[in-house]
Amino acid sequence: MIALVDCNNFYASCERLFRPDLRHTPIIVLSNNDGCVVARSDESKALGIPMGVPFFEVRELVGRHQIEVFSSNYTLYGDISRRVMEVIGERCPEVEVYSIDEAFVDFSVFSGDIWEEKAIELRQVIWDKVGIPVSVGLGQTKTLAKLANHLVKKRKLPQLWLGQGVAVISTVQDRHEALRTVQVGDVWGIGRASVGKLQSEGIHTAFDFIQCSSQWIRQYFTITGWRTWRELQGHHELPFNPAPPIPQSVVFSRSLSECLWSSKRIQQRVKIFTQSFAEKLRHKQVYASQVSLVLSGGYGERHNLGKRNRHLLVPSNDTRILLVEFEQMCTEILSSNPFGVHRVTLAATELVSTNVQQLSLFQAPTNHSIMQLLDRINQKFGRGTMRVGVTPKEMKHLHGRQRFRSPRYTTRWSELPVVDISKRYSVLSEK
DNA sequence: TCTGGGGTCCTAGGACCC
DNA sequence: TCTGGGGTCCTAGGACCC
């Protein structure tokens, strides 16, 4: 049995954590540069704010309903996520953190008669200790656990609920009923492209989907579609992976708030981004063997694009080494075909763990203590306190537009919330 | 005026090898 | 008239996810 613990409207809930006055106020959270809506509270959903819509398109609606707007505050969300996962980990031995707001939990470590009790308790304790509301879905496979969670969130099939926020699909009858209730496009792993294909064949619900033959599924979908089909029938096809291997790639990508034409300014941005990118590699404890830079201009299909790759003889995450590589790549791209740059993407592939480093025969090992020191200083005194080759003013460009960012309540001493207890105190002292 | 950022896996087709 | 058979590796693009 697998449980999926999923935080409800995670970013919006994080913003509410330190603003209890907003508990019933509609909230939206915006993407980088305050571009799109990436999270909505229930109230905002009810007001008809779609997911992923450009902010300017709903600005009028936001004003009319006095929706509270936040720029994304990943420092805060990352820390709250860590707390949620920690609480789950304290109570369940096998946890696979799937995303910032979701975790799969192996419930087969508990005996069958306490699954329900455990799920309800888990939900309650996350609320008590962290203050984030979650939904828990239980099923025999990851895909069924997802499905159960979906039922809770969409308020469908209350007969499968156990208290608010927990649903269990355990018997065959439960499963069939759940599959009949859910549209095939709402199944985890079946996206927009497949829905059209399925509907033209008269397949609308998840139950219709599992009625198809194995051959037919294999013929019209890739192996991933077939696995979903199997999972919905209770066969494990997606392994439970509590300790995920090192990632395949690490990407750092930013849209610029304005289109840049000057080579000097583009180089500057690349320099700034390289430092954050290298920091990200170190944080993930990997060295890159291959790095690439993509500069793109404009939106839509017909935008210019320049790409360069570099293979590193000795895999690295050292800012100084990466700066040289990215500066060279940037110069090459810009010299071949200059165009207005609207987006910069840095990527690393062929990653190796920092636990092992393959050295070149003729090169001395890198001195890591300097980078460690750099990271410690920047962590303590704020990002960009110590930099390579750019001024503090330039470094500020990094975050683009963030007009509505909340304080980093839990990770910056200077932004700790202040609680005024003077009134309470005076009452006590009078007594 | 204004449109995010970060991932995974799979497949087809080309280049190349013996 | 008639032109093999079996591989590997790489890349781009599609599909999907949060």
Side-chain angles (χ1 to χ4, degrees):
Chain A
M1 199 62 150
I2 290 179
L4 176 71
V5 181
D6 192 326
C7 302
N8 300 344
N9 313 326
F10 184 56
Y11 296 170
S13 299
C14 288
E15 295 296 349
R16 269 181 184 159
L17 203 48
F18 292 93
R19 291 288 307 275
D21 56 308
L22 299 180
R23 189 156 289 177
H24 303 291
T25 309
I27 289 178
I28 59 174
V29 180
L30 304 179
S31 63
N32 249 16
N33 281 324
D34 296 338
C36 297
V37 174
V38 293
R40 306 153 296 156
S41 69
D42 285 336
E43 298 79 6
S44 302
K45 288 177 188 173
L47 289 170
I49 306 261
M51 180 66 175
V53 70
F55 179 47
F56 69 88
E57 286 181 16
V58 291
R59 184 164 288 161
E60 193 268 331
L61 203 60
V62 165
R64 181 148 36 102
H65 296 286
Q66 297 175 359
I67 297 174
E68 203 73 27
V69 180
F70 291 93
S71 302
S72 37
N73 184 348
Y74 289 107
T75 316
L76 176 67
Y77 311 151
D79 189 53
I80 302 304
S81 169
R82 187 187 53 75
R83 296 180 186 194
V84 171
M85 301 307 170
E86 216 172 85
V87 169
I88 300 173
E90 281 164 8
R91 278 155 190 83
C92 310
E94 299 286 348
V95 180
E96 175 185 339
V97 176
Y98 175 69
S99 73
I100 193 166
D101 69 336
E102 278 172 72
F104 288 107
V105 183
D106 182 7
F107 260 48
S108 52
V109 299
F110 307 120
S111 73
D113 51 335
I114 61 165
W115 285 338
E116 310 184 339
E117 179 192 327
K118 276 278 172 193
I120 293 169
E121 179 198 313
L122 193 56
R123 181 170 180 277
Q124 188 61 44
V125 79
I126 293 170
W127 174 252
D128 291 343
K129 294 211 163 196
V130 191
I132 294 290
V134 304
S135 303
V136 185
L138 271 77
Q140 279 163 306
T141 61
K142 283 183 170 179
T143 309
L144 287 170
K146 272 273 191 187
L147 200 85
N149 206 294
H150 175 83
L151 294 175
V152 179
K153 290 225 165 114
K154 298 290 169 190
R155 301 181 170 79
K156 286 180 178 169
L157 286 190
Q159 65 270 32
L160 296 184
W161 298 3
L162 301 159
Q164 274 190 333
V166 178
V168 181
I169 300 174
S170 52
T171 66
V172 178
Q173 288 86 339
D174 289 349
R175 196 168 76 223
H176 284 181
E177 198 172 351
L179 293 172
R180 282 199 185 88
T181 312
V182 172
Q183 293 296 300
V184 72
D186 291 330
V187 171
W188 187 50
I190 297 181
R192 239 198 340 221
S194 304
V195 169
K197 231 189 302 187
L198 288 166
Q199 278 180 344
S200 67
E201 296 286 335
I203 297 158
H204 300 284
T205 68
F207 188 77
D208 297 338
F209 183 66
I210 64 160
Q211 299 306 305
C212 300
S213 75
S214 174
Q215 290 87 333
W216 189 86
I217 295 287
R218 198 59 196 85
Q219 197 179 339
Y220 286 91
F221 295 90
T222 64
I223 188 75
T224 37
W226 183 83
R227 285 184 190 136
T228 298
W229 177 81
R230 290 265 300 168
E231 284 251 322
L232 287 176
Q233 296 168 68
H235 305 288
H236 281 281
E237 295 293 338
L238 306 173
F240 182 79
N241 201 352
I246 59 167
Q248 301 290 311
S249 61
V250 171
V251 177
F252 186 95
S253 176
R254 287 291 178 278
S255 300
L256 309 177
S257 36
E258 52 177 339
C259 195
L260 292 186
W261 290 86
S262 139
S263 296
K264 194 181 154 211
R265 296 189 63 196
I266 296 168
Q267 281 278 9
Q268 243 178 30
R269 269 337 138 89
V270 169
K271 237 189 249 180
I272 293 165
F273 291 159
T274 302
Q275 305 198 32
S276 298
F277 175 65
E279 205 179 294
K280 187 170 177 180
L281 290 174
R282 294 195 291 270
H283 185 248
K284 297 197 171 225
Q285 303 188 20
V286 289
Y287 296 124
S289 312
Q290 172 122 359
V291 287
S292 66
L293 175 67
V294 179
L295 301 182
S296 21
Y299 300 102
E301 298 124 36
R302 282 173 50 248
H303 61 234
N304 288 300
L305 201 131
K307 183 175 180 184
R308 285 290 184 284
N309 286 308
R310 280 280 188 287
H311 195 83
L312 304 181
L313 192 58
V314 178
S316 176
N317 59 18
D318 189 302
T319 304
R320 298 162 298 176
I321 291 170
L322 295 178
L323 270 172
V324 175
E325 301 293 339
F326 278 103
E327 274 192 79
Q328 280 176 6
M329 288 191 277
C330 186
T331 308
E332 282 178 29
I333 296 170
L334 294 175
S335 64
S336 61
N337 176 28
F339 55 88
V341 172
H342 214 299
R343 183 180 189 81
V344 177
T345 305
L346 296 80
T349 49
E350 293 175 32
L351 307 173
V352 292
S353 159
T354 50
N355 297 327
V356 282
Q357 193 184 23
Q358 175 66 56
L359 299 174
S360 127
L361 186 55
F362 303 109
Q363 199 167 343
T366 325
N367 183 347
H368 298 298
S369 53
I370 294 176
M371 286 300 122
Q372 283 166 7
L373 183 65
L374 181 79
D375 290 340
R376 279 214 303 276
I377 289 172
N378 285 333
Q379 200 182 0
K380 186 162 179 183
F381 298 102
R383 166 170 281 173
T385 302
M386 193 176 259
R387 314 157 298 278
V388 184
V390 289
T391 66
K393 202 176 144 199
E394 290 164 355
M395 201 75 191
K396 267 175 63 185
H397 285 306
L398 191 64
H399 293 293
R401 268 193 304 265
Q402 280 205 312
R403 280 168 296 173
F404 316 104
R405 212 205 67 224
S406 52
R408 289 161 291 194
Y409 298 106
T410 62
T411 54
R412 282 276 191 282
W413 288 113
S414 57
E415 299 177 22
L416 276 182
V418 175
V419 179
D420 184 357
I421 58 163
S422 54
K423 278 184 192 153
R424 172 90 179 132
Y425 183 71
S426 61
V427 171
L428 288 174
S429 51
E430 275 167 27
K431 281 183 181 170

